[in-house]
Amino acid sequence: MTRTPSDVRVAVSTVIFTLRPGRDAASLALPLVRRTRDPFGGRWALPGGWLDAAEGLDAAASRTLASTTGLAPSYLEQLYAFGDVDRSPTRVVSIVYWALLRQDQVDAQLAAHAEHGDAPDNVAWFDADDLPALAFDHDQIVEYALWRLRNKVGYSRIAHGLLPDEFTLAELREVYESILGRRLDPANFRRQAEASGTLIPTDRFRTGSHRPARLYRYNRDVELADRGPLAHPTPPDGTHPTGPDRTHPQNRNEE
Amino acid sequence: MTRTPSDVRVAVSTVIFTLRPGRDAASLALPLVRRTRDPFGGRWALPGGWLDAAEGLDAAASRTLASTTGLAPSYLEQLYAFGDVDRSPTRVVSIVYWALLRQDQVDAQLAAHAEHGDAPDNVAWFDADDLPALAFDHDQIVEYALWRLRNKVGYSRIAHGLLPDEFTLAELREVYESILGRRLDPANFRRQAEASGTLIPTDRFRTGSHRPARLYRYNRDVELADRGPLAHPTPPDGTHPTGPDRTHPQNRNEE
DNA sequence: TCAAAAGTGTTCTGATTACACCCATGG
DNA sequence: CCATGGGTGTAATCAGAACACTTTTGA
């Protein structure tokens, strides 16, 4: 067997969400990179880059995300492989990931880069439901990532991927409300959250407004999301492990 | 931008299931192809092949499946992109699909090929829970495909992808039981199926054993599975459309 | 002391389960 | 006429939704 290089190139991109506090309710936001060359020069696109022959897909997602935006996700999962012939002028298969970034990490990571003088350029954050026209088929990709996020929040604990270590139930509820786009009953939300077995109450309280709210951590023994039988046992590096996702839904908001 | 071919090659493989009638209960079976060359010469592997620069991913899955096994799926959906560096001696990213084939189509399609003298070679069917050691990481891939199938059967209508146009409720129930690996209450199953709105009763009956059972068709207006916002409007060719999957589970067998 | 969020209790509803029971047919 | 699967009825259970209510704080 001779090794003939293919004329199909493999790219890796990532849709990474964070929660941006708003006056009324928080909203989902994501960073985009402005393209400097054709095709689609000047347009906004998802952060990403070419797959290197010496790295796995997950590693490529983390690397290209870091090199374009300076961000390291708190949750990372493969989304889909896009490979229509006409999705780009040249033949490119894009392995797309979606990710979450804890709110407190956004500023921290960007500040760290600013200090080292390697602040990412040509990057801007956009509200997830108010995006400009994107390069390639990235509009569709973001739409699908949003759909997956909204769906997954219903049957897994990924919402925690957007919060710091300690949080109040109201903060957790706000994450759900932002993602789902509707209000949730605080009383019922509390009971469900407590019954899930994933929350550990601390003896600390968040004070400042009205009645102090108890702070919770969460049980790291429980995975953020069931990733199916192929889940890697433990993450070798800092970021979260990635294996095929339990793509199966189990509630049924949109069946 | 000069176009430099990548040293990463893209393959497409498919895990395609059908239901094999057994004395007691039916069981899931899938076709494998015996490799004739190294690496893993002599071992069984998933049907597949190299992605052609002129075809999309879905088309490549259909084409390679047909050319290796002679089969055309009744349901086809992308499963996952596997791209660990060491999963093959050379650098290969495999876009893996999973598929269903209606029981009545297996024999029909194979017979058609036999008649034309183009019967596929080196192909054999195996029971899904009794597989030999497979080439590459294909064991894991099959395991993941099974997991996804079992999961998805709980919140979508994919079970119909394994049945002919008309079927009895007992036959439909048997599909569920085979996939889930447990018995279901016939009475409750009937009510759920009827309440789903996806079944159309015919005025024909399956006779032969005891009391005749009504035959049902199903409502083609309802998608087999919610594929998310990116679903292709209509399949251009014969096989089913494929878009990103609503990977979200909604029941919770394994949360 | 009052507004507002934290937190508890109670009721109602719908889906799921378990299981008793009747119906229709082939042998 | 009876064994067997087709098909119906019904009561118990459980999760979720709705909402009234009490508690605790800062202002």
Side-chain angles (χ1 to χ4, degrees), chain B residues 115-181:
Chain B
E115 199 166 320
H116 291 71
D118 60 347
D121 207 14
N122 286 318
V123 174
W125 290 79
F126 294 86
D127 197 300
D129 8 73
D130 187 26
L131 295 176
L134 304 186
F136 306 105
D137 51 359
H138 290 189
D139 310 85
Q140 287 179 57
I141 293 177
V142 171
E143 195 186 350
Y144 181 50
L146 269 170
W147 176 81
R148 182 109 136 220
L149 169 61
R150 296 209 164 100
N151 211 61
K152 196 146 191 170
V153 82
Y155 63 88
S156 75
R157 294 166 41 285
I158 39 161
H160 295 270
L162 290 166
L163 288 175
D165 285 333
E166 294 193 334
F167 49 87
T168 66
L169 285 179
E171 289 163 351
L172 180 59
R173 177 164 47 85
E174 194 184 10
V175 173
Y176 277 83
E177 291 178 342
S178 306
I179 294 174
L180 297 175

Side-chain angles (χ1 to χ4, degrees), chain A residues 151 247-252, chain B residues 151 247-252:
Chain A
N151 211 62
T247 204
H248 40 30
Q250 315 241 338
N251 304 322
R252 52 198 54 123
Chain B
N151 211 61
T247 203
H248 42 28
Q250 315 241 336
N251 303 322
R252 51 198 55 124

Side-chain angles (χ1 to χ4, degrees), chain B:
Chain B
M1 310 245 318
T2 57
R3 172 81 183 294
T4 53
S6 152
D7 40 1
V8 177
R9 282 182 303 170
V10 180
V12 176
S13 301
T14 303
V15 188
I16 178 166
F17 298 105
T18 194
L19 219 47
R20 198 153 54 167
R23 43 217 129 287
D24 190 31
S27 63
L28 285 169
L30 55 96
L32 296 174
V33 181
R34 192 195 290 277
R35 288 181 61 81
T36 54
R37 326 185 213 184
D38 280 330
F40 294 102
R43 286 247 218 161
W44 295 97
L46 292 172
W50 299 114
L51 173 66
D52 195 279
E55 69 190 348
L57 299 178
D58 300 1
S62 296
R63 176 184 60 78
T64 58
L65 185 62
S67 70
T68 52
T69 64
L71 302 171
S74 35
Y75 178 79
L76 181 67
E77 173 187 317
Q78 192 180 302
L79 179 67
Y80 199 74
F82 295 84
D84 281 356
V85 175
D86 58 358
R87 63 181 294 276
S88 162
T90 62
R91 188 65 209 280
V92 177
V93 170
S94 280
I95 315 291
V96 179
Y97 281 75
W98 70 282
L100 298 179
L101 183 52
R102 288 163 39 166
Q103 213 171 337
D104 57 326
Q105 295 288 301
V106 183
D107 299 331
Q109 293 183 10
L110 295 183
H113 286 286
E115 199 166 320
H116 291 71
D118 60 347
D121 207 14
N122 286 318
V123 174
W125 290 79
F126 294 86
D127 197 300
D129 8 73
D130 187 26
L131 295 176
L134 304 186
F136 306 105
D137 51 359
H138 290 189
D139 310 85
Q140 287 179 57
I141 293 177
V142 171
E143 195 186 350
Y144 181 50
L146 269 170
W147 176 81
R148 182 109 136 220
L149 169 61
R150 296 209 164 100
N151 211 61
K152 196 146 191 170
V153 82
Y155 63 88
S156 75
R157 294 166 41 285
I158 39 161
H160 295 270
L162 290 166
L163 288 175
D165 285 333
E166 294 193 334
F167 49 87
T168 66
L169 285 179
E171 289 163 351
L172 180 59
R173 177 164 47 85
E174 194 184 10
V175 173
Y176 277 83
E177 291 178 342
S178 306
I179 294 174
L180 297 175
R182 62 187 164 92
R183 294 284 173 204
L184 300 175
D185 183 306
N188 296 329
F189 182 83
R190 159 180 303 274
R191 269 182 294 254
Q192 279 183 247
E194 282 171 343
S196 74
T198 61
L199 290 183
I200 301 174
T202 70
D203 46 5
R204 308 194 339 111
F205 289 82
R206 169 100 67 229
T207 179
S209 49
H210 295 283
R211 173 171 173 178
R214 183 179 293 278
L215 288 172
Y216 290 80
R217 285 184 300 109
Y218 71 157
N219 192 346
R220 296 191 169 276
D221 296 346
V222 187
E223 280 292 322
L224 259 74
D226 181 352
R227 329 180 87 89
L230 300 196
H232 301 176
T234 343
D237 60 324
T239 65
H240 278 236
T242 300
D245 158 37
R246 79 145 353 160
T247 203
H248 42 28
Q250 315 241 336
N251 303 322
R252 51 198 55 124
N253 351 357
E254 46 224 287
E255 176 65 354

Side-chain angles (χ1 to χ4, degrees), chain A residues 68-150:
Chain A
T68 53
T69 65
L71 302 171
S74 34
Y75 178 79
L76 181 68
E77 174 187 316
Q78 192 181 303
L79 180 66
Y80 199 74
F82 295 85
D84 283 355
V85 175
D86 58 357
R87 63 182 294 275
S88 163
T90 62
R91 188 65 210 282
V92 177
V93 171
S94 280
I95 315 293
V96 178
Y97 281 74
W98 71 281
L100 298 179
L101 183 53
R102 288 164 37 168
Q103 213 171 338
D104 56 327
Q105 294 289 302
V106 183
D107 298 331
Q109 293 183 9
L110 295 183
H113 286 286
E115 199 166 320
H116 290 71
D118 59 347
D121 207 12
N122 287 317
V123 174
W125 290 79
F126 293 86
D127 197 299
D129 350 271
D130 186 27
L131 295 176
L134 304 186
F136 306 105
D137 51 0
H138 290 189
D139 310 86
Q140 287 179 55
I141 293 176
V142 170
E143 196 186 349
Y144 180 51
L146 269 170
W147 176 81
R148 182 109 137 219
L149 169 61
R150 296 207 164 102

Side-chain angles (χ1 to χ4, degrees), chain A:
Chain A
M1 312 242 321
T2 56
R3 171 81 186 290
T4 52
S6 151
D7 40 2
V8 177
R9 283 181 303 170
V10 180
V12 176
S13 300
T14 303
V15 188
I16 178 165
F17 298 105
T18 196
L19 220 48
R20 198 154 52 169
R23 44 217 131 287
D24 189 32
S27 63
L28 285 169
L30 55 95
L32 295 173
V33 180
R34 190 195 291 276
R35 289 182 61 82
T36 54
R37 325 187 215 184
D38 280 330
F40 296 101
R43 285 247 217 159
W44 295 97
L46 291 171
W50 300 113
L51 174 65
D52 195 280
E55 68 190 346
L57 300 178
D58 300 0
S62 296
R63 176 184 59 79
T64 58
L65 185 62
S67 70
T68 53
T69 65
L71 302 171
S74 34
Y75 178 79
L76 181 68
E77 174 187 316
Q78 192 181 303
L79 180 66
Y80 199 74
F82 295 85
D84 283 355
V85 175
D86 58 357
R87 63 182 294 275
S88 163
T90 62
R91 188 65 210 282
V92 177
V93 171
S94 280
I95 315 293
V96 178
Y97 281 74
W98 71 281
L100 298 179
L101 183 53
R102 288 164 37 168
Q103 213 171 338
D104 56 327
Q105 294 289 302
V106 183
D107 298 331
Q109 293 183 9
L110 295 183
H113 286 286
E115 199 166 320
H116 290 71
D118 59 347
D121 207 12
N122 287 317
V123 174
W125 290 79
F126 293 86
D127 197 299
D129 350 271
D130 186 27
L131 295 176
L134 304 186
F136 306 105
D137 51 0
H138 290 189
D139 310 86
Q140 287 179 55
I141 293 176
V142 170
E143 196 186 349
Y144 180 51
L146 269 170
W147 176 81
R148 182 109 137 219
L149 169 61
R150 296 207 164 102
N151 211 62
K152 196 146 190 170
V153 82
Y155 64 87
S156 75
R157 292 166 39 296
I158 40 161
H160 295 271
L162 290 166
L163 287 175
D165 286 331
E166 296 193 333
F167 49 86
T168 67
L169 284 179
E171 289 164 351
L172 179 59
R173 178 164 47 85
E174 193 185 9
V175 173
Y176 277 83
E177 291 178 341
S178 306
I179 294 175
L180 297 175
R182 61 187 165 90
R183 293 283 174 207
L184 300 175
D185 183 306
N188 295 330
F189 182 84
R190 160 181 302 274
R191 268 181 296 256
Q192 281 183 244
E194 281 171 343
S196 72
T198 61
L199 291 183
I200 301 174
T202 69
D203 47 5
R204 306 193 343 110
F205 289 80
R206 169 99 67 231
T207 178
S209 49
H210 295 284
R211 175 173 173 176
R214 184 179 293 277
L215 289 171
Y216 290 80
R217 284 184 301 111
Y218 70 155
N219 191 347
R220 297 194 168 270
D221 296 346
V222 187
E223 279 292 324
L224 259 73
D226 181 353
R227 329 180 88 90
L230 301 197
H232 301 177
T234 343
D237 59 325
T239 65
H240 276 236
T242 300
D245 158 39
R246 79 144 351 160
T247 204
H248 40 30
Q250 315 241 338
N251 304 322
R252 52 198 54 123
N253 350 357
E254 47 222 284
E255 175 64 354

